Structures are given as structure tokens and as C-alpha cells.
Amino acid sequence: MEERLKKQLEFALEIDKEKNIFRQTHLSGNGRRENDAEHAWHMAIMAYLLREYSNEEIDIAKVMLMCLIHDVVEIDAGDTYAYDEENLKTQKAREDAAKGRIYSLLPEDQKQELIALFDEFEAYETPEAKFARAMDNIQPLILNVSNEGGDWKEHAVTSKNVYGRQRKTALGSKILFQAADEMIQEQIKKGNLPE
Amino acid sequence: MEERLKKQLEFALEIDKEKNIFRQTHLSGNGRRENDAEHAWHMAIMAYLLREYSNEEIDIAKVMLMCLIHDVVEIDAGDTYAYDEENLKTQKAREDAAKGRIYSLLPEDQKQELIALFDEFEAYETPEAKFARAMDNIQPLILNVSNEGGDWKEHAVTSKNVYGRQRKTALGSKILFQAADEMIQEQIKKGNLPE
């Protein structure tokens, strides 16, 4: 087997570990906690199906790939909950170290390509990054809403926290932010999310 | 919220159930059984990284989407193990019923598009389907090899069974079939797979 293919398969095996990184979000039907691989899969499909709502024109293959790989760094860095102020402070340093190690398993050209894609997602600036980040916000929202806000209750999250995150969804899609807003307002009315 | 978006979000919520459909393959490190969503995520990333080995030119966005959605039908139809002769006989009927119900949650245009994509994957004829199917074969192989053939041992699978499946990998990628062949031969030598 060629060295290049060997490296690609080693990387493919390494990222299997992402299936063991669990998030705070629970599956619908009040299921178990979701892992990063499942979350990324869900985001990528949603990106494709909802691409018509992007504020700007997007390269959908790039968005899907961004969704699929954006949490690979968490194999080393662990998941950082969106409302965990303490861990958010160290998130970047932990993830930077992780991306160096994990993507270095790939041939150099693919290492550079995937690191650039991850950095683009993190920077939240390009149309593709903004839409992928909108998926990163909307995907756990629909699960949590289906569970009557169970994740918010568990972590004493308020609507202010939720809006702090979801408002950025509008950078990628004003229409999807409106939909998120409707869902959040309904949850507040139901008493599932304190104001 | 517009009816169209409502339908798209309903479908997005429905496919969350794919995370509860478990396969016979175990995660690396002799982990738990893998579920369909994780498998699809893994296949899509591998498709992107290994696309240079496709026998024919492929539309990689289409291949990735095919990988991501190919097991949605198993929400209703359940997983059919690749070496389970009895269940393989009823697989098509079960999956056809499932695809009608599940994809009908989507707006009509997206329903038609995704059903066509699923049917294309199943038909194993286009360059994209052949490469996506190669991923469907290679992805569990690398996990199983990393676990010293644990899944084969559990189900008394022989190298004849494995080659019956993996030979079709060559339809999508001769190079990846050669790599699979090397891995299988090594497992036979190690005594992890009876001839």
C-alpha cells in the first residue's frame, strides 16, 4: 500500500474516536446524549436540505465538509458546552493543539486543506462558515425543543443565553433565525426556558 | 413559519432516529456497536479524502450526500447485516416501504431528489454510486481490522464471505480494493479470518 493511502486510512481510523465524544444535547425522545459524529452527520444533511435559506450564495459541498469535520479536534480537546463560560476561555488553545496532532496524520496537502477549512469555520466570516455555524446552532435547538427544553433545564440556561448564541444564526440565515426565534418564544411560553 | 421549512425541519427531526439504529460493526478499540448515523458520517469524510482513487470521475458532493442519507430507510427497516442471508432476502421490500414514509415528510421536490439519490446508491451503476458503495464496504473493514476481526469472529464469517462483498469495492476503486485485499490477507495470516 502506498504511503499516501496508508496515511489517509490512519486518519480515517483515528477520527473513529469522535464517536466517543459526547455532547450536552440529548437525542429526541429524551434519548441518551448525542456524540460529535452524530451531530456532524445531522448538521451536514440539514445544511444540504436548508441551503436555500442561506443569506448568501454558498458552495454546499464545502459547507457539508465543514460540518462533517468541525469537531474532529474534540477527540483531544473534548466537547465545550456552548454555555460553559469557564471552559470556553481555554477552548481555542485546546483545539489548536488538537488540530496540529490529528490533521498531521494526513498527507501534507490534505492536512493543510482540512486545517484551513476548520479555521474558516472557526473564524465565522465567509458565507460557508456562517451557514455551517447556523447549522451548529439550529441542529441542537430542534433536538432540545423536541425534548421540551430538557438540556436547558439541566444546565439552568436562560433565554438570554440562548439568544446570545442563536442571534448569530442570522449571520448565516435570517429566515432560519426567525424560525429559531419562533421556537424559542414557544418554549418560553410553555415554561421550558426562563426569560 | 412557512409550510416548506416546517416540513424540512420535521424531516430533520425524524432522521435523528437513525442514531438509534445499531450495526454489527464495533468501534475501534473494541468499542460498542456503531450506529447508522456514525457510519454515514465516517463514509462521507472518507469519500472526500479518498476521492482521488475513484476509477471514474465523480461529483463528490453527490457522493457525500449519498453516503449521508443511504441508511435513513433503516429507521423503519432496521439494519441488515451484510452476511445475513435470510434478512437480505426481505431487505428491499422493507426499505422501499420505509423510503416512502420517511422521505414523504419532505417537500415534494426534495422527496423526489432524495429518493432518486437513494435508488441510485442501491442500483450500484453510476460512478458516484460505485464509489459511495466502496466506502460502505471499506469503512467497516478498517474498523474490523483494527479490532483484529472481532466482528467476523462473532458471526463466523469466512474470507469467502468477505471477498464476496469487497470484490465489488473494485467497481468503485481498483486501488482501494487492492488495499482491502492486503488488509484481508493480513487478517487471514493472523488467524482472524478463516479461509
Side-chain angles (χ1 to χ4, degrees):
Chain A
M1 200 184 306
E2 294 281 340
E3 195 56 34
R4 180 174 173 84
L5 176 53
K6 212 168 172 176
K7 283 183 156 198
Q8 290 163 326
L9 292 179
E10 265 166 38
F11 177 81
L13 184 60
E14 177 67 20
I15 63 170
D16 187 60
K17 294 177 185 165
E18 198 177 313
K19 301 166 192 168
N20 293 317
I21 307 296
F22 285 86
R23 297 164 45 80
Q24 294 303 324
T25 310
H26 289 74
L27 301 189
S28 60
N30 295 296
R32 61 167 168 79
R33 281 165 62 196
E34 183 185 46
N35 68 54
D36 275 352
E38 297 167 327
H39 162 62
W41 165 82
H42 212 165
M43 277 171 64
I45 297 181
M46 288 177 69
Y48 184 82
L49 292 173
L50 302 174
R51 67 196 186 287
E52 66 197 83
Y53 306 113
S54 174
N55 293 340
E56 297 169 87
E57 209 170 295
I58 46 173
D59 173 346
I60 190 62
K62 189 177 174 181
V63 173
M64 287 166 70
L65 190 62
M66 230 179 226
C67 290
L68 292 172
I69 63 117
H70 82 287
D71 273 341
V72 163
V73 292
E74 297 192 359
I75 289 170
D76 288 356
D79 178 57
T80 306
Y81 188 45
Y83 307 115
D84 179 344
E85 294 299 334
E86 267 320 293
N87 271 315
L88 283 168
K89 287 178 197 163
T90 60
Q91 184 180 14
K92 191 169 169 4
R94 281 181 287 118
E95 294 191 348
D96 280 350
K99 85 180 175 190
R101 181 189 77 76
I102 300 167
Y103 288 118
S104 292
L105 295 171
L106 282 169
E108 188 62 24
D109 60 319
Q110 293 193 323
K111 170 189 171 181
Q112 295 306 338
E113 184 192 353
L114 263 61
I115 285 183
L117 201 68
F118 171 74
D119 288 344
E120 186 178 332
F121 176 85
E122 287 296 303
Y124 225 134
E125 287 168 0
T126 62
E128 284 79 13
K130 288 180 202 163
F131 196 69
R133 299 286 297 240
M135 297 304 106
D136 202 19
N137 295 336
I138 291 280
Q139 187 268 345
L141 181 68
I142 66 167
L143 293 191
N144 198 16
V145 164
S146 80
N147 289 329
E148 301 293 328
D151 301 325
W152 294 325
K153 291 172 192 165
E154 190 178 333
H155 297 280
V157 170
T158 65
S159 67
K160 200 185 149 196
N161 300 135
V162 174
Y163 275 112
R165 177 179 189 181
Q166 292 292 343
R167 270 208 192 89
K168 296 187 86 175
T169 297
L171 298 173
S173 170
K174 285 178 189 163
I175 294 170
L176 293 179
F177 171 67
Q178 281 165 14
D181 188 27
E182 269 182 48
M183 288 188 263
I184 297 165
Q185 286 300 322
E186 200 193 338
Q187 292 300 309
I188 293 172
K189 264 189 214 135
K190 281 185 169 178
N192 292 332
L193 180 65
E195 282 204 69
Chain B
M1 200 185 304
E2 294 280 339
E3 196 55 34
R4 180 174 173 84
L5 176 51
K6 212 166 170 179
K7 284 183 155 198
Q8 290 162 325
L9 292 179
E10 265 165 35
F11 177 82
L13 184 61
E14 178 67 20
I15 63 170
D16 187 59
K17 294 176 184 164
E18 197 176 314
K19 300 166 192 168
N20 293 318
I21 307 297
F22 286 87
R23 296 164 45 82
Q24 294 302 326
T25 310
H26 289 75
L27 302 188
S28 60
N30 295 297
R32 61 165 167 82
R33 281 166 62 197
E34 183 185 48
N35 67 55
D36 275 351
E38 297 168 327
H39 163 62
W41 165 82
H42 212 165
M43 277 172 64
I45 296 181
M46 288 176 70
Y48 185 82
L49 292 173
L50 302 174
R51 68 196 186 285
E52 66 197 82
Y53 306 113
S54 174
N55 294 340
E56 297 169 87
E57 209 170 296
I58 45 174
D59 173 346
I60 189 61
K62 189 177 174 182
V63 173
M64 287 166 72
L65 190 61
M66 229 179 227
C67 291
L68 292 173
I69 63 119
H70 81 288
D71 274 342
V72 164
V73 292
E74 297 191 359
I75 289 170
D76 288 355
D79 179 56
T80 306
Y81 188 45
Y83 308 116
D84 179 343
E85 294 300 333
E86 266 321 294
N87 271 314
L88 283 168
K89 287 177 197 162
T90 60
Q91 185 179 14
K92 190 169 172 357
R94 283 182 285 119
E95 295 192 348
D96 280 349
K99 86 180 174 191
R101 183 191 74 78
I102 300 167
Y103 288 119
S104 292
L105 295 171
L106 281 169
E108 188 62 26
D109 61 318
Q110 292 193 321
K111 170 190 171 179
Q112 296 305 338
E113 184 191 352
L114 263 60
I115 286 184
L117 201 69
F118 171 74
D119 288 344
E120 185 178 332
F121 176 85
E122 286 296 304
Y124 225 133
E125 287 169 0
T126 63
E128 283 80 12
K130 289 180 201 162
F131 196 69
R133 299 285 297 240
M135 296 307 107
D136 202 20
N137 295 337
I138 291 280
Q139 186 268 344
L141 182 68
I142 66 166
L143 293 191
N144 198 15
V145 164
S146 81
N147 288 330
E148 301 293 329
D151 301 325
W152 295 324
K153 292 173 192 164
E154 191 178 331
H155 297 279
V157 170
T158 66
S159 68
K160 200 184 147 198
N161 300 134
V162 174
Y163 276 113
R165 176 179 190 182
Q166 292 293 342
R167 269 205 194 92
K168 295 186 86 175
T169 297
L171 298 174
S173 170
K174 287 179 188 163
I175 294 171
L176 293 179
F177 172 68
Q178 281 165 14
D181 189 28
E182 269 182 48
M183 287 187 264
I184 297 165
Q185 286 300 323
E186 201 193 336
Q187 292 300 308
I188 294 172
K189 265 189 212 134
K190 281 184 170 180
N192 293 331
L193 180 65
E195 282 203 73

mmCIF file of all heavy atoms in Angstrom, chain A residues 62-87:
data_model
loop_
_atom_site.group_PDB
_atom_site.id
_atom_site.type_symbol
_atom_site.label_atom_id
_atom_site.label_comp_id
_atom_site.label_asym_id
_atom_site.label_seq_id
_atom_site.Cartn_x
_atom_site.Cartn_y
_atom_site.Cartn_z
ATOM 1 N N LYS A 62 -18.572 22.453 0.222
ATOM 2 C CA LYS A 62 -17.647 22.984 1.227
ATOM 3 C C LYS A 62 -18.330 23.092 2.596
ATOM 4 O O LYS A 62 -17.749 22.749 3.622
ATOM 5 C CB LYS A 62 -17.170 24.360 0.761
ATOM 6 C CG LYS A 62 -16.042 24.944 1.580
ATOM 7 C CD LYS A 62 -15.622 26.273 0.961
ATOM 8 C CE LYS A 62 -14.606 26.972 1.816
ATOM 9 N NZ LYS A 62 -14.221 28.281 1.232
ATOM 10 N N VAL A 63 -19.582 23.564 2.589
ATOM 11 C CA VAL A 63 -20.323 23.672 3.857
ATOM 12 C C VAL A 63 -20.489 22.289 4.491
ATOM 13 O O VAL A 63 -20.270 22.109 5.696
ATOM 14 C CB VAL A 63 -21.722 24.311 3.642
ATOM 15 C CG1 VAL A 63 -22.544 24.252 4.933
ATOM 16 C CG2 VAL A 63 -21.595 25.754 3.166
ATOM 17 N N MET A 64 -20.859 21.308 3.670
ATOM 18 C CA MET A 64 -21.078 19.960 4.211
ATOM 19 C C MET A 64 -19.787 19.400 4.807
ATOM 20 O O MET A 64 -19.787 18.821 5.897
ATOM 21 C CB MET A 64 -21.613 19.029 3.116
ATOM 22 C CG MET A 64 -23.060 19.324 2.748
ATOM 23 S SD MET A 64 -23.575 18.513 1.213
ATOM 24 C CE MET A 64 -23.619 16.804 1.739
ATOM 25 N N LEU A 65 -18.681 19.584 4.093
ATOM 26 C CA LEU A 65 -17.405 19.082 4.600
ATOM 27 C C LEU A 65 -17.017 19.792 5.898
ATOM 28 O O LEU A 65 -16.550 19.164 6.849
ATOM 29 C CB LEU A 65 -16.318 19.268 3.531
ATOM 30 C CG LEU A 65 -14.995 18.590 3.826
ATOM 31 C CD1 LEU A 65 -15.147 17.075 3.932
ATOM 32 C CD2 LEU A 65 -13.966 18.934 2.740
ATOM 33 N N MET A 66 -17.258 21.097 5.929
ATOM 34 C CA MET A 66 -17.009 21.867 7.152
ATOM 35 C C MET A 66 -17.804 21.303 8.328
ATOM 36 O O MET A 66 -17.278 21.129 9.424
ATOM 37 C CB MET A 66 -17.484 23.299 6.895
ATOM 38 C CG MET A 66 -16.513 24.364 7.229
ATOM 39 S SD MET A 66 -17.304 25.958 6.819
ATOM 40 C CE MET A 66 -15.953 26.726 5.978
ATOM 41 N N CYS A 67 -19.086 21.042 8.080
ATOM 42 C CA CYS A 67 -19.938 20.458 9.123
ATOM 43 C C CYS A 67 -19.366 19.115 9.579
ATOM 44 O O CYS A 67 -19.290 18.835 10.781
ATOM 45 C CB CYS A 67 -21.356 20.232 8.594
ATOM 46 S SG CYS A 67 -22.288 21.750 8.298
ATOM 47 N N LEU A 68 -18.954 18.302 8.626
ATOM 48 C CA LEU A 68 -18.506 16.944 8.953
ATOM 49 C C LEU A 68 -17.236 16.930 9.799
ATOM 50 O O LEU A 68 -17.068 16.069 10.655
ATOM 51 C CB LEU A 68 -18.293 16.132 7.667
ATOM 52 C CG LEU A 68 -19.563 15.813 6.877
ATOM 53 C CD1 LEU A 68 -19.211 15.173 5.535
ATOM 54 C CD2 LEU A 68 -20.496 14.888 7.656
ATOM 55 N N ILE A 69 -16.323 17.880 9.528
ATOM 56 C CA ILE A 69 -15.012 17.809 10.216
ATOM 57 C C ILE A 69 -14.853 18.802 11.371
ATOM 58 O O ILE A 69 -13.836 18.776 12.061
ATOM 59 C CB ILE A 69 -13.839 18.001 9.226
ATOM 60 C CG1 ILE A 69 -13.871 19.410 8.576
ATOM 61 C CG2 ILE A 69 -13.833 16.932 8.135
ATOM 62 C CD1 ILE A 69 -12.678 20.259 8.911
ATOM 63 N N HIS A 70 -15.841 19.678 11.605
ATOM 64 C CA HIS A 70 -15.600 20.791 12.529
ATOM 65 C C HIS A 70 -15.324 20.358 13.966
ATOM 66 O O HIS A 70 -14.748 21.129 14.734
ATOM 67 C CB HIS A 70 -16.769 21.798 12.490
ATOM 68 C CG HIS A 70 -17.949 21.398 13.333
ATOM 69 N ND1 HIS A 70 -18.809 20.382 12.974
ATOM 70 C CD2 HIS A 70 -18.408 21.864 14.520
ATOM 71 C CE1 HIS A 70 -19.738 20.258 13.889
ATOM 72 N NE2 HIS A 70 -19.524 21.136 14.841
ATOM 73 N N ASP A 71 -15.706 19.150 14.344
ATOM 74 C CA ASP A 71 -15.498 18.727 15.730
ATOM 75 C C ASP A 71 -14.399 17.674 15.895
ATOM 76 O O ASP A 71 -14.239 17.131 16.998
ATOM 77 C CB ASP A 71 -16.809 18.190 16.328
ATOM 78 C CG ASP A 71 -17.667 19.302 16.923
ATOM 79 O OD1 ASP A 71 -17.131 20.396 17.198
ATOM 80 O OD2 ASP A 71 -18.878 19.073 17.122
ATOM 81 N N VAL A 72 -13.657 17.396 14.839
ATOM 82 C CA VAL A 72 -12.590 16.384 14.927
ATOM 83 C C VAL A 72 -11.600 16.726 16.058
ATOM 84 O O VAL A 72 -11.137 15.846 16.782
ATOM 85 C CB VAL A 72 -11.850 16.252 13.562
ATOM 86 C CG1 VAL A 72 -10.520 15.547 13.711
ATOM 87 C CG2 VAL A 72 -12.732 15.507 12.550
ATOM 88 N N VAL A 73 -11.338 18.017 16.225
ATOM 89 C CA VAL A 73 -10.400 18.454 17.278
ATOM 90 C C VAL A 73 -10.845 18.027 18.673
ATOM 91 O O VAL A 73 -10.021 17.919 19.586
ATOM 92 C CB VAL A 73 -10.209 19.990 17.284
ATOM 93 C CG1 VAL A 73 -9.471 20.430 16.033
ATOM 94 C CG2 VAL A 73 -11.538 20.729 17.427
ATOM 95 N N GLU A 74 -12.136 17.788 18.831
ATOM 96 C CA GLU A 74 -12.638 17.437 20.173
ATOM 97 C C GLU A 74 -12.221 16.035 20.610
ATOM 98 O O GLU A 74 -12.396 15.672 21.777
ATOM 99 C CB GLU A 74 -14.171 17.618 20.226
ATOM 100 C CG GLU A 74 -14.545 19.076 20.006
ATOM 101 C CD GLU A 74 -15.997 19.423 20.317
ATOM 102 O OE1 GLU A 74 -16.760 18.518 20.704
ATOM 103 O OE2 GLU A 74 -16.356 20.601 20.179
ATOM 104 N N ILE A 75 -11.661 15.262 19.683
ATOM 105 C CA ILE A 75 -11.107 13.952 20.063
ATOM 106 C C ILE A 75 -10.066 14.165 21.167
ATOM 107 O O ILE A 75 -10.015 13.414 22.143
ATOM 108 C CB ILE A 75 -10.473 13.253 18.836
ATOM 109 C CG1 ILE A 75 -11.582 12.807 17.873
ATOM 110 C CG2 ILE A 75 -9.588 12.077 19.258
ATOM 111 C CD1 ILE A 75 -11.073 12.315 16.520
ATOM 112 N N ASP A 76 -9.255 15.214 21.030
ATOM 113 C CA ASP A 76 -8.271 15.540 22.076
ATOM 114 C C ASP A 76 -8.795 16.597 23.043
ATOM 115 O O ASP A 76 -8.549 16.527 24.243
ATOM 116 C CB ASP A 76 -6.980 16.097 21.456
ATOM 117 C CG ASP A 76 -6.156 15.031 20.751
ATOM 118 O OD1 ASP A 76 -6.532 13.839 20.806
ATOM 119 O OD2 ASP A 76 -5.138 15.390 20.136
ATOM 120 N N ALA A 77 -9.507 17.592 22.489
ATOM 121 C CA ALA A 77 -9.846 18.780 23.296
ATOM 122 C C ALA A 77 -11.123 18.604 24.106
ATOM 123 O O ALA A 77 -11.383 19.384 25.030
ATOM 124 C CB ALA A 77 -9.982 19.993 22.379
ATOM 125 N N GLY A 78 -11.915 17.590 23.787
ATOM 126 C CA GLY A 78 -13.186 17.381 24.486
ATOM 127 C C GLY A 78 -14.239 18.371 24.008
ATOM 128 O O GLY A 78 -13.921 19.369 23.349
ATOM 129 N N ASP A 79 -15.490 18.085 24.328
ATOM 130 C CA ASP A 79 -16.568 18.987 23.947
ATOM 131 C C ASP A 79 -16.651 20.142 24.935
ATOM 132 O O ASP A 79 -16.465 19.954 26.138
ATOM 133 C CB ASP A 79 -17.916 18.218 23.933
ATOM 134 C CG ASP A 79 -19.078 19.135 23.582
ATOM 135 O OD1 ASP A 79 -19.026 19.752 22.502
ATOM 136 O OD2 ASP A 79 -20.019 19.251 24.381
ATOM 137 N N THR A 80 -16.881 21.334 24.406
ATOM 138 C CA THR A 80 -17.066 22.501 25.277
ATOM 139 C C THR A 80 -18.510 22.958 25.135
ATOM 140 O O THR A 80 -18.939 23.340 24.045
ATOM 141 C CB THR A 80 -16.115 23.653 24.859
ATOM 142 O OG1 THR A 80 -14.774 23.145 24.827
ATOM 143 C CG2 THR A 80 -16.200 24.804 25.842
ATOM 144 N N TYR A 81 -19.255 22.900 26.231
ATOM 145 C CA TYR A 81 -20.684 23.258 26.174
ATOM 146 C C TYR A 81 -20.824 24.743 25.843
ATOM 147 O O TYR A 81 -20.055 25.577 26.329
ATOM 148 C CB TYR A 81 -21.339 22.933 27.527
ATOM 149 C CG TYR A 81 -22.852 23.068 27.554
ATOM 150 C CD1 TYR A 81 -23.646 22.558 26.537
ATOM 151 C CD2 TYR A 81 -23.484 23.720 28.615
ATOM 152 C CE1 TYR A 81 -25.030 22.679 26.569
ATOM 153 C CE2 TYR A 81 -24.871 23.836 28.664
ATOM 154 C CZ TYR A 81 -25.640 23.313 27.634
ATOM 155 O OH TYR A 81 -27.004 23.435 27.670
ATOM 156 N N ALA A 82 -21.794 25.052 24.997
ATOM 157 C CA ALA A 82 -21.967 26.413 24.475
ATOM 158 C C ALA A 82 -22.197 27.442 25.585
ATOM 159 O O ALA A 82 -21.978 28.640 25.375
ATOM 160 C CB ALA A 82 -23.132 26.440 23.491
ATOM 161 N N TYR A 83 -22.645 26.986 26.764
ATOM 162 C CA TYR A 83 -22.946 27.937 27.837
ATOM 163 C C TYR A 83 -22.021 27.756 29.040
ATOM 164 O O TYR A 83 -22.346 28.160 30.149
ATOM 165 C CB TYR A 83 -24.430 27.814 28.250
ATOM 166 C CG TYR A 83 -25.370 27.926 27.074
ATOM 167 C CD1 TYR A 83 -26.165 26.852 26.666
ATOM 168 C CD2 TYR A 83 -25.446 29.110 26.345
ATOM 169 C CE1 TYR A 83 -27.013 26.957 25.579
ATOM 170 C CE2 TYR A 83 -26.285 29.215 25.241
ATOM 171 C CZ TYR A 83 -27.071 28.140 24.860
ATOM 172 O OH TYR A 83 -27.898 28.249 23.778
ATOM 173 N N ASP A 84 -20.858 27.142 28.807
ATOM 174 C CA ASP A 84 -19.900 26.902 29.888
ATOM 175 C C ASP A 84 -18.798 27.966 29.826
ATOM 176 O O ASP A 84 -17.781 27.812 29.146
ATOM 177 C CB ASP A 84 -19.310 25.487 29.713
ATOM 178 C CG ASP A 84 -18.283 25.134 30.782
ATOM 179 O OD1 ASP A 84 -17.784 26.051 31.471
ATOM 180 O OD2 ASP A 84 -17.979 23.934 30.907
ATOM 181 N N GLU A 85 -18.992 29.066 30.550
ATOM 182 C CA GLU A 85 -18.101 30.232 30.454
ATOM 183 C C GLU A 85 -16.642 29.882 30.763
ATOM 184 O O GLU A 85 -15.724 30.358 30.096
ATOM 185 C CB GLU A 85 -18.574 31.348 31.414
ATOM 186 C CG GLU A 85 -19.931 31.955 31.058
ATOM 187 C CD GLU A 85 -19.978 32.619 29.673
ATOM 188 O OE1 GLU A 85 -18.923 33.061 29.195
ATOM 189 O OE2 GLU A 85 -21.072 32.659 29.062
ATOM 190 N N GLU A 86 -16.428 29.045 31.773
ATOM 191 C CA GLU A 86 -15.050 28.715 32.189
ATOM 192 C C GLU A 86 -14.294 27.981 31.087
ATOM 193 O O GLU A 86 -13.193 28.382 30.695
ATOM 194 C CB GLU A 86 -15.073 27.840 33.459
ATOM 195 C CG GLU A 86 -14.967 28.601 34.765
ATOM 196 C CD GLU A 86 -13.983 29.767 34.737
ATOM 197 O OE1 GLU A 86 -12.775 29.501 34.610
ATOM 198 O OE2 GLU A 86 -14.420 30.935 34.826
ATOM 199 N N ASN A 87 -14.899 26.912 30.595
ATOM 200 C CA ASN A 87 -14.224 26.102 29.582
ATOM 201 C C ASN A 87 -14.113 26.808 28.229
ATOM 202 O O ASN A 87 -13.211 26.501 27.451
ATOM 203 C CB ASN A 87 -14.909 24.745 29.434
ATOM 204 C CG ASN A 87 -14.314 23.725 30.392
ATOM 205 O OD1 ASN A 87 -13.109 23.626 30.532
ATOM 206 N ND2 ASN A 87 -15.169 22.988 31.086
#
